[in-house]
């Protein structure tokens, strides 16, 4: 565990290995640090276009409960064609499950995505009330996309009156 902490900044991949070993040997404190490190490494890999490895790191981090990683895993399963060579097959059920996991922890973009799923009935039973509720929640948590959608929706409703 201590070795993983020492290597955290200098060698993230090595730090991940040590922290995984520490966690397997029962050191629970390693979990949070490992999850955050996996997320950071996934973001670097994603930025560099290495989506196959990024997905694997996101998935590990998501399994440890990191909402940002859960949201990313949901995106990968929802539209793998957007991530060249990531070797992930589209699976809307998994996309929705991971997106809900992030949304239930207050991730604004995940909340917005759930609103979109309900609005469009994509992979989930269409429900306008639930869609609106999720968009409002996302807007309250700072999602610009949700705020834009609600503003547009309000303008359309006012125009019909």
């Amino acid at each position: 565990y201590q070795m993983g902490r020492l290597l955290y900044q200098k060698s993230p991949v090595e730090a991940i290995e040590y922290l995984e070993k520490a966690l397997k040997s029962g050191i629970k404190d390693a979990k949070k640090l490992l999850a955050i490190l996996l997320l950071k490494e996934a973001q670097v890999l994603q930025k560099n276009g290495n989506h196959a490895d990024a997905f694997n790191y996101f998935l590990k981090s998501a399994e440890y409960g990191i909402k940002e990683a859960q949201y990313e895993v949901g995106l990968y399963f929802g539209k793998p064609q957007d991530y060249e060579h990531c070797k992930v097959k589209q699976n809307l059920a998994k996309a929705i499950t991971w997106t809900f996991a992030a949304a239930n922890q207050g991730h604004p973009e995940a909340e917005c995505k759930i609103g979109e799923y309900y609005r469009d009935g994509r992979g989930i039973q269409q429900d306008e009330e639930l869609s609106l509720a999720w968009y409002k929640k996302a807007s309250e948590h700072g999602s610009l996309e949700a705020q834009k959608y609600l503003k547009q929706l309000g303008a359309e409703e006012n125009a019909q009156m």
Side-chain angles (χ1 to χ4, degrees):
Y1 173 70
Q2 292 300 329
M3 192 64 158
R5 289 187 65 193
L6 289 171
L7 291 169
Y8 185 82
Q9 295 293 331
K10 292 183 181 182
S11 180
V13 175
E14 281 186 274
I16 288 169
E17 288 177 28
Y18 280 102
L19 291 169
E20 284 177 335
K21 287 178 186 178
L23 189 59
K24 284 179 185 174
S25 67
I27 301 173
K28 293 178 182 171
D29 290 343
K31 182 179 175 181
K32 179 116 177 146
L33 187 59
L34 174 60
I36 292 167
L37 190 55
L38 287 165
L39 173 67
K40 288 181 179 184
E41 194 62 20
Q43 291 168 332
V44 169
L45 290 165
Q46 186 182 54
K47 191 175 185 178
N48 292 332
N50 186 347
H51 293 288
D53 288 338
F55 173 77
N56 290 327
Y57 278 83
F58 278 130
L59 184 58
K60 284 181 181 180
S61 182
E63 289 169 347
Y64 290 129
I66 302 297
K67 64 185 175 184
E68 295 82 2
Q70 292 169 335
Y71 175 67
E72 289 294 332
V73 170
L75 292 178
Y76 274 90
F77 278 123
K79 288 184 134 183
Q81 65 273 18
D82 290 350
Y83 305 98
E84 283 186 45
H85 314 295
C86 67
K87 298 178 184 174
V88 175
K89 292 185 181 184
Q90 186 171 32
N91 185 323
L92 288 178
K94 286 183 179 181
I96 290 167
T97 297
W98 283 112
T99 305
F100 259 114
N104 286 330
Q105 291 189 68
H107 188 284
E109 298 314 318
E111 293 168 336
C112 184
K113 187 61 111 174
I114 295 297
E116 181 183 315
Y117 283 139
Y118 276 121
R119 180 192 70 203
D120 298 342
R122 187 170 163 251
I124 199 167
Q125 180 69 40
Q126 189 172 19
D127 187 318
E128 290 182 28
E129 285 182 39
L130 281 173
S131 173
L132 189 58
W134 279 103
Y135 272 115
K136 285 180 180 177
K137 195 181 287 193
S139 176
E140 290 168 7
H141 290 142
S143 169
L144 298 178
E145 185 178 341
Q147 292 167 4
K148 182 180 173 183
Y149 175 75
L150 290 172
K151 189 174 183 179
Q152 179 184 4
L153 191 62
E156 287 175 9
E157 287 178 1
N158 289 334
Q160 292 175 358
M161 294 181 154

